[in-house]
Amino acid sequence: DTAVSQTPKYLVTQMGNDKSIKCEQNLGHDTMYWYKQDSKKFLKIMFSYNNKELIINETVPNRFSPKSPDKAHLNLHINSLELGDSAVYFCASSQDDVSYEQYFGPGTRLTVT
Amino acid sequence: RKEVEQDPGPFNVPEGATVAFNCTYSNSASQSFFWYRQDCRKEPKLLMSVYSSGNEDGRFTAQLNRASQYISLLIRDSKLSDSATYLCVVMVGTGGFKTIFGAGTRLFVKA
């Protein structure tokens, strides 16, 4: 029944490693997003995909690479992890890229040691 | 200047109190406005949209002042369950909408 799901929920890894976070939505939405919420709780958009196409790419290091194999999935791969990447990463979806409401996943808490 | 600014609080209020949060935004091209709620260690959820004419949903009233680039949220008769962080959200459209979240205002309602 979960509308937007993310795996894993927690991820602890060492600097320099490469990791992926997966996101799936079963709402039939066209648009999906990745957000980063840092230790100060500031939620900032990283990427937005509409029908598998990238429409927003904020100033994010190119170590972060999103991939959308179909419109129900948006994964986030991070290369060469750094301490500053520690944060909670939220996936979200909306009906389309002009829709009001975004539905968020439960978040992935990434800790880089 | 941040694109969306909120007083971080925390606001500590007793049950039954009325509390108001304010938010200002810098981009005059902003088109849509919302309040989201985020509980501790949970994901944000839409609380309500905000219109120039103002809108009300039970104990919650939201207002938008485009001239002053200012959004407000009023909570009447506060409940313990209202304790959360309230996020002001603005959508800016420039060939694709971009969603900008404020840093949030923390509310604690105590018995």
Side-chain angles (χ1 to χ4, degrees):
Chain A
D1 281 326
T2 306
V4 183
S5 58
Q6 294 178 230
T7 53
K9 193 164 183 182
Y10 298 97
L11 183 53
V12 181
T13 188
Q14 292 184 326
M15 282 174 58
N17 284 348
D18 303 339
K19 290 292 178 187
S20 292
I21 308 172
K22 295 186 176 182
C23 178
E24 177 180 0
Q25 54 96 1
N26 62 6
L27 297 166
H29 288 169
D30 286 344
T31 306
M32 295 184 74
Y33 312 82
W34 276 110
Y35 288 88
K36 177 180 179 180
Q37 188 167 43
D38 60 27
S39 57
K40 294 181 180 170
K41 307 299 182 190
F42 191 50
L43 193 66
K44 188 161 185 189
I45 192 163
M46 300 172 72
F47 302 102
S48 171
Y49 270 72
N50 190 56
N51 270 319
K52 302 193 299 173
E53 286 193 23
L54 182 67
I55 53 171
I56 290 175
N57 183 355
E58 287 298 292
T59 308
V60 175
N62 59 14
R63 298 182 294 103
F64 290 80
S65 52
K67 280 194 172 53
S68 183
D70 54 62
K71 73 175 193 178
H73 295 85
L74 180 62
N75 303 325
L76 183 66
H77 187 76
I78 316 170
N79 288 327
S80 303
L81 279 154
E82 299 176 357
L83 292 176
D85 297 332
S86 296
V88 181
Y89 292 84
F90 286 102
C91 176
S93 74
S94 62
Q95 185 68 50
D96 49 49
D97 64 341
V98 298
S99 285
Y100 295 162
E101 183 167 7
Q102 293 183 22
Y103 294 79
F104 282 77
T108 295
R109 188 171 293 273
L110 171 65
T111 303
V112 183
T113 60
Chain B
R1 184 183 173 189
K2 289 182 184 158
E3 291 178 281
V4 177
E5 292 209 62
Q6 297 181 246
D7 179 346
F11 285 63
N12 293 290
V13 303
E15 268 187 298
T18 295
V19 62
F21 305 139
N22 302 322
C23 168
T24 56
Y25 60 94
S26 61
N27 191 331
S28 58
S30 300
Q31 300 197 16
S32 303
F33 309 88
F34 313 92
W35 285 100
Y36 275 68
R37 170 192 169 134
Q38 186 173 22
D39 291 295
C40 190
R41 294 184 162 265
K42 296 285 189 182
E43 70 272 22
K45 291 184 180 175
L46 180 67
L47 180 66
M48 59 198 306
S49 301
V50 189
Y51 308 114
S52 296
S53 54
N55 52 311
E56 191 173 309
D57 182 2
R59 298 180 294 107
F60 298 83
T61 301
Q63 292 262 289
L64 166 65
N65 184 322
R66 282 189 184 269
S68 302
Q69 296 184 195
Y70 166 99
I71 304 157
S72 65
L73 176 68
L74 183 77
I75 306 175
R76 289 180 298 279
D77 188 23
S78 300
K79 310 288 183 197
L80 293 176
S81 57
D82 293 334
S83 297
T85 297
Y86 291 84
L87 304 166
C88 176
V89 182
V90 170
M91 287 181 79
V92 181
T94 49
F97 280 87
K98 176 178 158 183
T99 309
I100 304 167
F101 280 75
T105 298
R106 198 93 188 267
L107 171 67
F108 292 102
V109 181
K110 51 190 190 303

